[in-house]
Amino acid sequence: MKMRAKYLLPLLTLIPLVALITSAAYSSGGITFYSPSYNGETYYVGQSITIDAVFPQQFATDGATINFFFPNSSLAATIPVQINGSGGIYVLNAYTFPNVQGTWQITIEVAGGAAVGSINVNVIQKTPLVTVNLGYSVVGQTIPQTPSITLTFPNGTTTTVPLQGTISVPSGTSYQVQSAITEGNVRWATNYVSTGTITPATTSITPTYYQQYSVTFNYTVQGGTGYTPPTVYYHSLGTNETVQAPATVWVDANSAYTYSPQLQSSVQGERWITMNYTGIVKAPGEINAYYINQYLVALQSQVPVYAIVNGVNETLNSTNWFTQGTTIKLENITQYVSSTERYVIANFSPSALVTVNQPTTIKVTTITQYLINVNSPVQLSAFINGVNETLASGWYNQGTTIKIENITYYMGNGERLILGKVFPAPQLTVNSSYTITATTITQYFVNVSSPIPVQVLINGSKTTLNSSWINSGTTIQVLNYTYNVSPQERIIIVGVSPSQSFAVKSPVNLKLLTVTQYLVTINGVSKFYNSGSKIVLNASVPFYETATFKGTYNVSPGATITVNQPITETLVVSPNYLVLGGIAAVIIIVIAVVVIILLRR
């Protein structure tokens, strides 16, 4: 609660002001002055003067200069002006007289001195009474006593009064406000300008007092050396202030303070941080900030990295500050970019377990892998990066070369699978995800048993068929032909097992049933006979002749021969001299008998 009182102070004798007005205007050098309006007009220190003058018409629209000269004739101010079309100038509040008392000269100059007019004015000090309201306000708890103000009047007398109420004092009275009231380590202080001079413009003196505590800002550091002391930001007398700890300062009660959140080190990658760097000053005494030593752990990785930090699972950032002694156990977790692409961590440098005792850079080496799907009815073998391996669906490193081997897969019992087309290609480099699709062709073994080449139509194309693997579904038609071993020997097909025409749907034993035939020529007539055939060599000859078959076999007519080779037989006829001799003997006898008979007659 403010108390008001009115203090009547001794008044200084006022200086009488005498104004001698001789005319309404004053002329000099052809220039007529209307303000000031007469030579010797009086003005007060701090009062503004307006210049109003008229020039000869010949100088209308020209430039002019107004000069103010101190009582000692030295130039105080120069003001350039422009004469209007009517030959006049009017400059409101052209100049305010400083506290230099005496006779001042004012000159107006036109066209570089073509016309010059001058007029004098008297400048004096005015000492009127000034009424000032005194008071104060408090930020914080109530001030224990009313502050005082000391006044020194122009006549040199001094008095001290409480800073409250209303006073009337001569202008020019100087004052000094009590700056602080202290009770031990608590005080009430003001940042109001403690000294000054009361002028007619002074209406009140009402400083604000701030309750303040004497506070020692201190700090403690855990570990390390080479740190810079912290800066403390606090409020004093309602103004933001800074100080380097440790330091004892006056701080506004119940105001906020803030320490530097961290201390820098001469070692790059090292710092000290505090968690209790800010608070409210609620009492005098010491405030201590506790700083802990930390090191920078930088992470170089193209994938997120997870780690167990002092037993807690965390995600590491590219830059991480950890307290000295922190243990970091890096987790090897695969990062999936998509369902077909992933990054696999191959290595941690310097290691997967790091104890933070210095600035450290953790480098994570990753391998890009792509999903390869293998779609094949058989197990594929391939050279993977030059090594023979089984190709299966799975993740493969970027840049891996895969060359699929063309392998035949035997199923047993005359059945096998051969590799057909491979998509997208039988050889590729892994630079994206692929689906490798392999097709197979089922083949069955056709076992050919034949004494002669087997001529067939395979799916309509003529060829010679040997024992071989034939694609499933292939149609085979056995051609019936005669195989000529020589002009005298041939082999003919008499049967085909299982049939002459069939589709390959399982293993097949193809057997040709054949008969060997030989050319038999008897008496110039040739004919092929099956091997093993029996031929009876018949011949009709007179009794008086003899016949023999000559050739491969020399046999008599009626003999039976077996065909097991080419045969040539020719019937050779000759006289039967024995028969003919008998006949001749008989004839002779007959003739002899006849002759005898005849002779007997």
Side-chain angles (χ1 to χ4, degrees):
M1 177 175 141
K2 296 181 180 179
M3 299 179 62
R4 293 183 172 270
K6 186 172 182 181
Y7 297 89
L8 299 178
L9 303 176
L11 299 180
L12 299 178
T13 303
L14 297 181
I15 301 175
L17 305 180
V18 180
L20 300 177
I21 303 176
T22 58
S23 63
Y26 176 77
S27 296
S28 173
I31 299 173
T32 301
F33 289 87
Y34 289 93
S35 176
S37 59
Y38 61 91
N39 192 33
E41 188 171 342
T42 300
Y43 288 86
Y44 297 110
V45 170
Q47 183 179 357
S48 296
I49 185 171
T50 296
I51 303 300
D52 183 6
V54 176
F55 298 82
Q57 188 62 34
Q58 67 190 74
F59 299 115
T61 71
D62 284 352
T65 302
I66 304 173
N67 298 310
F68 291 85
F69 293 93
F70 287 115
N72 62 3
S73 300
S74 60
L75 182 64
T78 297
I79 301 174
V81 296
Q82 187 71 29
I83 301 172
N84 61 33
S86 300
I89 62 171
Y90 182 83
V91 183
L92 182 65
N93 298 328
Y95 186 72
T96 300
F97 292 106
N99 189 14
V100 180
Q101 302 180 48
T103 301
W104 287 60
Q105 184 183 50
I106 303 173
T107 65
I108 300 179
E109 182 179 342
V110 183
V116 177
S118 66
I119 190 171
N120 294 328
V121 296
N122 294 318
V123 177
I124 63 174
Q125 180 69 53
K126 184 178 181 181
T127 57
L129 289 178
V130 178
T131 300
V132 181
N133 293 318
L134 301 180
Y136 63 93
S137 59
V138 178
V139 176
Q141 294 181 346
T142 304
I143 195 168
Q145 65 187 56
T146 302
S148 63
I149 182 171
T150 298
L151 302 171
T152 300
F153 303 111
N155 62 2
T157 61
T158 299
T159 186
T160 300
V161 297
L163 189 62
Q164 59 185 12
T166 303
I167 60 173
S168 295
V169 297
S171 177
T173 299
S174 62
Y175 65 89
Q176 182 173 356
V177 174
Q178 185 176 5
S179 61
I181 297 173
T182 303
E183 290 187 349
N185 53 9
V186 181
R187 77 173 186 178
W188 287 258
T190 182
N191 59 354
Y192 190 86
V193 178
S194 60
T195 60
T197 300
I198 296 174
T199 67
T202 305
T203 59
S204 64
I205 300 175
T206 55
T208 298
Y209 287 85
Y210 294 84
Q211 183 187 16
Q212 293 188 311
Y213 297 131
S214 177
V215 175
T216 298
F217 289 112
N218 211 340
Y219 69 102
T220 304
V221 176
Q222 170 264 318
T225 59
Y227 45 81
T228 57
T231 298
V232 184
Y233 301 84
Y234 65 98
H235 296 275
S236 181
L237 304 178
T239 304
N240 295 329
E241 301 288 348
T242 61
V243 68
Q244 191 175 73
T248 301
V249 292
W250 288 100
V251 184
D252 292 346
N254 299 310
S255 65
Y257 68 89
T258 301
Y259 278 77
S260 300
Q262 67 181 45
L263 308 182
Q264 298 301 322
S265 170
S266 58
V267 177
Q268 186 174 5
E270 182 181 20
R271 73 176 185 181
W272 291 261
I273 67 167
T274 180
M275 298 302 173
N276 61 331
Y277 60 88
T278 186
I280 302 297
V281 177
K282 297 182 178 180
E286 181 181 72
I287 295 175
N288 190 71
Y290 183 76
Y291 288 85
I292 57 176
N293 191 203
Q294 289 190 329
Y295 292 106
L296 176 65
V297 177
L299 175 66
Q300 296 179 3
S301 174
Q302 67 179 110
V303 299
V305 176
Y306 304 95
I308 305 297
V309 180
N310 287 340
V312 179
N313 198 305
E314 294 185 16
T315 301
L316 295 187
N317 300 315
S318 58
T319 55
N320 309 268
W321 288 95
F322 290 113
T323 301
Q324 180 187 23
T326 298
T327 59
I328 302 173
K329 184 179 180 181
L330 302 169
E331 298 181 274
N332 193 332
I333 297 177
T334 299
Q335 174 70 28
Y336 287 84
V337 180
S338 66
S339 60
T340 59
E341 182 181 359
R342 71 182 186 180
Y343 297 111
V344 175
I345 296 176
N347 181 55
F348 292 109
S349 175
S351 68
L353 181 62
V354 176
T355 299
V356 180
N357 287 316
Q358 62 184 351
T360 304
T361 297
I362 297 175
K363 296 182 180 179
V364 180
T365 303
T366 58
I367 298 173
T368 302
Q369 292 186 333
Y370 296 102
L371 181 63
I372 302 298
N373 290 307
V374 178
N375 183 14
S376 173
V378 295
Q379 182 173 281
L380 297 178
S381 294
F383 288 100
I384 301 176
N385 288 334
V387 178
N388 192 299
E389 297 182 29
T390 297
L391 181 64
S393 295
W395 293 92
Y396 290 81
N397 294 349
Q398 183 181 35
T400 298
T401 59
I402 299 175
K403 183 179 181 181
I404 298 173
E405 298 180 78
N406 192 348
I407 295 177
T408 300
Y409 303 86
Y410 290 89
M411 313 302 291
N413 298 322
E415 181 182 358
R416 74 178 186 182
L417 300 176
I418 64 171
L419 205 59
K421 293 183 178 180
V422 178
F423 299 97
Q427 184 172 348
L428 53 85
T429 299
V430 177
N431 50 29
S432 64
S433 177
Y434 297 100
T435 295
I436 297 176
T437 302
T439 61
T440 58
I441 299 172
T442 303
Q443 290 186 332
Y444 296 104
F445 190 74
V446 177
N447 184 41
V448 177
S449 177
S450 173
I452 64 173
V454 179
Q455 301 291 326
V456 296
L457 292 177
I458 295 181
N459 290 334
S461 298
K462 184 177 179 180
T463 187
T464 299
L465 179 64
N466 298 311
S467 294
S468 58
W469 292 92
I470 304 297
N471 292 351
S472 176
T474 299
T475 58
I476 299 177
Q477 180 181 356
V478 180
L479 299 178
N480 194 347
Y481 76 103
T482 299
Y483 181 75
N484 294 306
V485 180
S486 68
Q488 292 81 31
E489 182 181 357
R490 71 182 185 181
I491 300 174
I492 64 172
I493 299 172
V494 295
V496 179
S497 175
S499 64
Q500 187 172 357
S501 180
F502 58 90
V504 178
K505 296 182 180 179
S506 62
V508 178
N509 286 317
L510 178 62
K511 185 176 182 180
L512 267 61
L513 304 177
T514 62
V515 174
T516 302
Q517 293 183 332
Y518 298 104
L519 183 65
V520 177
T521 301
I522 301 175
N523 294 326
V525 177
S526 298
K527 183 179 179 181
F528 279 97
Y529 288 87
N530 293 346
S531 176
S533 297
K534 303 293 185 178
I535 299 176
V536 178
L537 297 177
N538 295 317
S540 179
V541 294
F543 68 93
Y544 53 81
E545 294 180 331
T546 61
T548 302
F549 282 95
K550 301 287 186 179
T552 305
Y553 302 101
N554 294 323
V555 295
S556 300
T560 299
I561 61 174
T562 299
V563 179
N564 53 20
Q565 63 180 323
I567 298 173
T568 300
E569 299 292 337
T570 302
L571 184 63
V572 178
V573 180
S574 61
N576 191 339
Y577 292 105
L578 181 59
V579 174
L580 288 178
I583 292 175
V586 172
I587 292 174
I588 293 173
I589 293 171
V590 173
I591 291 174
V593 173
V594 173
V595 171
I596 294 171
I597 293 175
L598 288 176
L599 289 175
R600 287 178 176 176
R601 289 181 179 173

PDB file of all heavy atoms in Angstrom, residues 375-391:
ATOM      1  N   ASN A 375      11.412 -72.505 -59.320  1.00  0.00           N
ATOM      2  CA  ASN A 375      10.225 -73.279 -59.661  1.00  0.00           C
ATOM      3  C   ASN A 375      10.644 -74.343 -60.658  1.00  0.00           C
ATOM      4  O   ASN A 375      10.839 -74.059 -61.841  1.00  0.00           O
ATOM      5  CB  ASN A 375       9.152 -72.352 -60.238  1.00  0.00           C
ATOM      6  CG  ASN A 375       7.857 -73.083 -60.552  1.00  0.00           C
ATOM      7  OD1 ASN A 375       7.646 -74.204 -60.118  1.00  0.00           O
ATOM      8  ND2 ASN A 375       6.999 -72.439 -61.318  1.00  0.00           N
ATOM      9  N   SER A 376      10.816 -75.566 -60.163  1.00  0.00           N
ATOM     10  CA  SER A 376      11.311 -76.640 -61.025  1.00  0.00           C
ATOM     11  C   SER A 376      10.788 -77.974 -60.520  1.00  0.00           C
ATOM     12  O   SER A 376      10.736 -78.205 -59.303  1.00  0.00           O
ATOM     13  CB  SER A 376      12.842 -76.650 -61.036  1.00  0.00           C
ATOM     14  OG  SER A 376      13.337 -77.779 -61.742  1.00  0.00           O
ATOM     15  N   PRO A 377      10.414 -78.880 -61.427  1.00  0.00           N
ATOM     16  CA  PRO A 377       9.958 -80.208 -60.997  1.00  0.00           C
ATOM     17  C   PRO A 377      11.098 -81.089 -60.504  1.00  0.00           C
ATOM     18  O   PRO A 377      10.860 -82.141 -59.927  1.00  0.00           O
ATOM     19  CB  PRO A 377       9.302 -80.779 -62.264  1.00  0.00           C
ATOM     20  CG  PRO A 377       9.985 -80.077 -63.384  1.00  0.00           C
ATOM     21  CD  PRO A 377      10.304 -78.708 -62.889  1.00  0.00           C
ATOM     22  N   VAL A 378      12.343 -80.678 -60.753  1.00  0.00           N
ATOM     23  CA  VAL A 378      13.497 -81.454 -60.310  1.00  0.00           C
ATOM     24  C   VAL A 378      14.430 -80.532 -59.550  1.00  0.00           C
ATOM     25  O   VAL A 378      14.365 -79.314 -59.649  1.00  0.00           O
ATOM     26  CB  VAL A 378      14.242 -82.090 -61.506  1.00  0.00           C
ATOM     27  CG1 VAL A 378      13.373 -83.109 -62.195  1.00  0.00           C
ATOM     28  CG2 VAL A 378      14.733 -81.024 -62.476  1.00  0.00           C
ATOM     29  N   GLN A 379      15.288 -81.130 -58.781  1.00  0.00           N
ATOM     30  CA  GLN A 379      16.291 -80.368 -58.051  1.00  0.00           C
ATOM     31  C   GLN A 379      17.365 -79.906 -59.016  1.00  0.00           C
ATOM     32  O   GLN A 379      17.976 -80.700 -59.711  1.00  0.00           O
ATOM     33  CB  GLN A 379      16.894 -81.240 -56.951  1.00  0.00           C
ATOM     34  CG  GLN A 379      17.910 -80.521 -56.095  1.00  0.00           C
ATOM     35  CD  GLN A 379      18.342 -81.362 -54.916  1.00  0.00           C
ATOM     36  OE1 GLN A 379      17.641 -81.459 -53.923  1.00  0.00           O
ATOM     37  NE2 GLN A 379      19.483 -81.997 -55.039  1.00  0.00           N
ATOM     38  N   LEU A 380      17.590 -78.561 -59.023  1.00  0.00           N
ATOM     39  CA  LEU A 380      18.535 -77.993 -59.970  1.00  0.00           C
ATOM     40  C   LEU A 380      19.920 -77.889 -59.345  1.00  0.00           C
ATOM     41  O   LEU A 380      20.058 -77.559 -58.167  1.00  0.00           O
ATOM     42  CB  LEU A 380      18.074 -76.603 -60.415  1.00  0.00           C
ATOM     43  CG  LEU A 380      16.749 -76.527 -61.183  1.00  0.00           C
ATOM     44  CD1 LEU A 380      16.418 -75.081 -61.513  1.00  0.00           C
ATOM     45  CD2 LEU A 380      16.805 -77.363 -62.457  1.00  0.00           C
ATOM     46  N   SER A 381      20.915 -78.169 -60.150  1.00  0.00           N
ATOM     47  CA  SER A 381      22.292 -77.955 -59.751  1.00  0.00           C
ATOM     48  C   SER A 381      22.839 -76.787 -60.550  1.00  0.00           C
ATOM     49  O   SER A 381      22.459 -76.581 -61.711  1.00  0.00           O
ATOM     50  CB  SER A 381      23.129 -79.213 -60.000  1.00  0.00           C
ATOM     51  OG  SER A 381      22.703 -80.277 -59.165  1.00  0.00           O
ATOM     52  N   ALA A 382      23.705 -76.009 -59.895  1.00  0.00           N
ATOM     53  CA  ALA A 382      24.229 -74.820 -60.574  1.00  0.00           C
ATOM     54  C   ALA A 382      25.597 -74.497 -60.015  1.00  0.00           C
ATOM     55  O   ALA A 382      25.958 -74.874 -58.896  1.00  0.00           O
ATOM     56  CB  ALA A 382      23.287 -73.637 -60.384  1.00  0.00           C
ATOM     57  N   PHE A 383      26.358 -73.762 -60.822  1.00  0.00           N
ATOM     58  CA  PHE A 383      27.608 -73.186 -60.347  1.00  0.00           C
ATOM     59  C   PHE A 383      27.278 -71.806 -59.791  1.00  0.00           C
ATOM     60  O   PHE A 383      26.945 -70.887 -60.533  1.00  0.00           O
ATOM     61  CB  PHE A 383      28.627 -73.102 -61.482  1.00  0.00           C
ATOM     62  CG  PHE A 383      29.188 -74.433 -61.888  1.00  0.00           C
ATOM     63  CD1 PHE A 383      28.721 -75.105 -63.000  1.00  0.00           C
ATOM     64  CD2 PHE A 383      30.177 -75.031 -61.124  1.00  0.00           C
ATOM     65  CE1 PHE A 383      29.232 -76.333 -63.367  1.00  0.00           C
ATOM     66  CE2 PHE A 383      30.701 -76.258 -61.485  1.00  0.00           C
ATOM     67  CZ  PHE A 383      30.231 -76.926 -62.610  1.00  0.00           C
ATOM     68  N   ILE A 384      27.326 -71.682 -58.468  1.00  0.00           N
ATOM     69  CA  ILE A 384      27.006 -70.427 -57.794  1.00  0.00           C
ATOM     70  C   ILE A 384      28.327 -69.801 -57.383  1.00  0.00           C
ATOM     71  O   ILE A 384      29.040 -70.338 -56.530  1.00  0.00           O
ATOM     72  CB  ILE A 384      26.099 -70.662 -56.587  1.00  0.00           C
ATOM     73  CG1 ILE A 384      24.788 -71.330 -57.048  1.00  0.00           C
ATOM     74  CG2 ILE A 384      25.805 -69.350 -55.860  1.00  0.00           C
ATOM     75  CD1 ILE A 384      23.862 -71.700 -55.916  1.00  0.00           C
ATOM     76  N   ASN A 385      28.629 -68.691 -58.068  1.00  0.00           N
ATOM     77  CA  ASN A 385      29.943 -68.048 -57.885  1.00  0.00           C
ATOM     78  C   ASN A 385      31.069 -69.062 -58.095  1.00  0.00           C
ATOM     79  O   ASN A 385      32.078 -69.072 -57.383  1.00  0.00           O
ATOM     80  CB  ASN A 385      30.067 -67.402 -56.509  1.00  0.00           C
ATOM     81  CG  ASN A 385      29.218 -66.150 -56.383  1.00  0.00           C
ATOM     82  OD1 ASN A 385      28.917 -65.478 -57.378  1.00  0.00           O
ATOM     83  ND2 ASN A 385      28.837 -65.802 -55.171  1.00  0.00           N
ATOM     84  N   GLY A 386      30.862 -69.952 -59.096  1.00  0.00           N
ATOM     85  CA  GLY A 386      31.894 -70.904 -59.468  1.00  0.00           C
ATOM     86  C   GLY A 386      31.907 -72.180 -58.674  1.00  0.00           C
ATOM     87  O   GLY A 386      32.694 -73.090 -58.968  1.00  0.00           O
ATOM     88  N   VAL A 387      31.058 -72.296 -57.652  1.00  0.00           N
ATOM     89  CA  VAL A 387      31.026 -73.492 -56.811  1.00  0.00           C
ATOM     90  C   VAL A 387      29.765 -74.283 -57.131  1.00  0.00           C
ATOM     91  O   VAL A 387      28.660 -73.729 -57.182  1.00  0.00           O
ATOM     92  CB  VAL A 387      31.057 -73.118 -55.319  1.00  0.00           C
ATOM     93  CG1 VAL A 387      30.982 -74.359 -54.443  1.00  0.00           C
ATOM     94  CG2 VAL A 387      32.305 -72.314 -55.003  1.00  0.00           C
ATOM     95  N   ASN A 388      29.953 -75.606 -57.337  1.00  0.00           N
ATOM     96  CA  ASN A 388      28.824 -76.455 -57.672  1.00  0.00           C
ATOM     97  C   ASN A 388      27.954 -76.650 -56.437  1.00  0.00           C
ATOM     98  O   ASN A 388      28.411 -77.170 -55.412  1.00  0.00           O
ATOM     99  CB  ASN A 388      29.335 -77.813 -58.189  1.00  0.00           C
ATOM    100  CG  ASN A 388      28.206 -78.609 -58.824  1.00  0.00           C
ATOM    101  OD1 ASN A 388      27.245 -78.927 -58.157  1.00  0.00           O
ATOM    102  ND2 ASN A 388      28.349 -78.928 -60.093  1.00  0.00           N
ATOM    103  N   GLU A 389      26.715 -76.220 -56.548  1.00  0.00           N
ATOM    104  CA  GLU A 389      25.785 -76.324 -55.430  1.00  0.00           C
ATOM    105  C   GLU A 389      24.395 -76.652 -55.938  1.00  0.00           C
ATOM    106  O   GLU A 389      24.111 -76.561 -57.137  1.00  0.00           O
ATOM    107  CB  GLU A 389      25.730 -75.008 -54.635  1.00  0.00           C
ATOM    108  CG  GLU A 389      27.025 -74.594 -53.982  1.00  0.00           C
ATOM    109  CD  GLU A 389      26.866 -73.304 -53.184  1.00  0.00           C
ATOM    110  OE1 GLU A 389      25.747 -73.058 -52.705  1.00  0.00           O
ATOM    111  OE2 GLU A 389      27.855 -72.572 -53.050  1.00  0.00           O
ATOM    112  N   THR A 390      23.549 -77.048 -54.993  1.00  0.00           N
ATOM    113  CA  THR A 390      22.138 -77.251 -55.309  1.00  0.00           C
ATOM    114  C   THR A 390      21.442 -75.890 -55.282  1.00  0.00           C
ATOM    115  O   THR A 390      21.579 -75.126 -54.322  1.00  0.00           O
ATOM    116  CB  THR A 390      21.483 -78.192 -54.296  1.00  0.00           C
ATOM    117  OG1 THR A 390      22.117 -79.470 -54.377  1.00  0.00           O
ATOM    118  CG2 THR A 390      19.997 -78.355 -54.594  1.00  0.00           C
ATOM    119  N   LEU A 391      20.718 -75.578 -56.346  1.00  0.00           N
ATOM    120  CA  LEU A 391      20.029 -74.292 -56.436  1.00  0.00           C
ATOM    121  C   LEU A 391      18.647 -74.435 -55.825  1.00  0.00           C
ATOM    122  O   LEU A 391      17.824 -75.228 -56.295  1.00  0.00           O
ATOM    123  CB  LEU A 391      19.930 -73.831 -57.888  1.00  0.00           C
ATOM    124  CG  LEU A 391      19.237 -72.486 -58.114  1.00  0.00           C
ATOM    125  CD1 LEU A 391      20.033 -71.367 -57.461  1.00  0.00           C
ATOM    126  CD2 LEU A 391      19.061 -72.215 -59.601  1.00  0.00           C
TER     127      LEU A 391
END
